[in-house]
Amino acid sequence: MSDLHTAVIDICDASLDPVAALAFVSDPRFGGIDMFIGKVREHNLGRVVTGVSYDLFEPLALNTFQEIGERARRKVGGPMKVYIAHAKGDLRIGDIAVIVAAGTPHRDEAFKACRMAIEAVKHEAPIWKQEHYTDGDSAWSEGCSLCEEHREAEQTAAKRGAAHEHGHDHDH
Amino acid sequence: MKVRITLFGALRDADPHGFVELDAPESCTIGTLRDLLREHLREHAPQISAGLVQRSAFASEDEILHNHRTLPENGQLAILPPVSGG
């Protein structure tokens, strides 16, 4: 059995399941488990949100999750299990959008792997969020460019101490 | 060659089919294709900003394809606007 589980879950078929994530990363060798759960919240940038739609480029998203899991393994260097799942489709307030979990022998590696993996999912995976508002309007969130020239520009801006580390205005 | 570019996120508004088809020279680079797509959208979907196309990345199902890469042989690509998962 693999020690890396990646999934894109269509919200029409099933909800994301923290219990399944916990079960996957549990192991008799592991005393530390860290899990990040991202949920849809009712406010963003001062507007009342009624729901969120996630669009994904599924094959590349799964490839990216796999690559992120392998990178986390290299960073930690020891035994580890990682679970990465993201929702697709129309979510309501309180629905789970993403779960990242890591199980390792001790807590420090679990925290590090989980943090690294969720940040990478947010910044690198081909996923787009469209927010719907109470007034019937909707908008795609500002995001992180995957285009190399723009990534370099964003990183340079971050090094110069720009107010926001990616040089654009989103809320993570 | 005929190239099919699948649209995602905010770029879905560029075409109700969810993709754009373009004629591109054989073995042209992604950078050239980006210019062709920008021209196509300027004509057919003027509501899409040229800046959004510039900030977007092209990709196959396996990897991001940067500007110096050549088109995949199967002519199937995706264009990925800035991402906002999680």
Side-chain angles (χ1 to χ4, degrees):
Chain A
M1 183 176 142
S2 166
D3 52 9
L4 176 58
H5 179 85
T6 60
V8 171
I9 296 170
D10 191 323
I11 201 76
C12 293
D13 301 330
S15 298
L16 273 68
D17 183 1
V19 175
L22 182 60
F24 180 80
V25 299
S26 293
D27 188 290
R29 296 170 295 168
F30 299 160
I33 288 174
D34 189 35
M35 175 157 25
F36 175 82
I37 297 174
K39 287 186 150 196
V40 178
R41 66 165 182 267
E42 64 178 356
H43 287 89
N44 194 30
L45 302 172
R47 299 186 80 176
V48 180
V49 175
T50 57
V52 158
S53 303
Y54 280 104
D55 186 18
L56 287 92
F57 182 25
E58 211 164 318
L60 184 61
L62 288 168
N63 258 16
T64 307
F65 294 168
Q66 194 79 24
E67 194 276 322
I68 290 167
E70 284 160 10
R71 207 187 315 159
R73 194 202 323 276
R74 286 196 300 277
K75 183 182 172 78
V76 166
M80 182 176 73
K81 287 184 175 176
V82 174
Y83 181 101
I84 302 174
H86 203 290
K88 173 182 179 176
D90 301 324
L91 279 68
R92 295 165 302 180
I93 305 303
D95 283 348
I96 298 177
V98 60
I99 297 178
V100 172
T104 58
H106 306 286
R107 69 184 182 282
D108 189 42
E109 309 96 285
F111 276 124
K112 279 183 182 153
C114 192
R115 181 73 198 236
M116 194 228 93
I118 183 60
E119 297 299 334
V121 166
K122 289 181 84 88
H123 295 142
E124 299 173 26
I127 303 171
W128 300 273
K129 178 167 75 171
Q130 186 182 34
E131 289 179 337
H132 307 287
Y133 307 107
T134 42
D135 59 6
D137 193 15
S138 63
W140 292 97
S141 291
E142 289 284 323
C144 299
S145 177
L146 298 180
C147 179
E148 60 187 344
E149 293 84 359
H150 285 274
R151 288 186 83 82
E152 282 165 15
E154 287 171 2
Q155 281 160 9
T156 305
K159 279 180 192 149
R160 286 186 189 141
H164 185 279
E165 64 177 353
H166 318 294
H168 59 94
D169 183 28
H170 63 162
D171 61 320
H172 56 256
Chain B
M1 69 188 283
K2 196 168 273 301
V3 179
R4 177 180 285 212
I5 305 168
T6 307
L7 307 166
F8 290 96
L11 284 171
R12 279 190 187 273
D13 294 341
D15 194 301
H17 297 103
F19 63 85
V20 167
E21 284 190 330
L22 297 178
D23 279 315
E26 291 292 330
S27 71
C28 90
T29 64
I30 294 293
T32 302
L33 186 72
R34 184 186 300 276
D35 294 340
L36 291 173
L37 179 64
R38 204 171 45 235
E39 288 305 310
H40 175 89
L41 294 181
R42 179 154 43 200
E43 193 174 333
H44 295 95
Q47 76 278 17
I48 302 292
S49 82
L52 181 57
V53 177
Q54 285 308 107
R55 288 197 306 279
S56 297
F58 287 87
S60 68
E61 290 193 351
D62 301 316
E63 60 177 340
I64 304 290
L65 299 169
H66 294 304
N67 279 343
H68 65 277
R69 299 283 297 273
T70 50
L71 297 182
E73 282 180 11
N74 67 6
Q76 303 282 325
L77 285 164
I79 184 161
L80 317 177
V83 297
S84 53

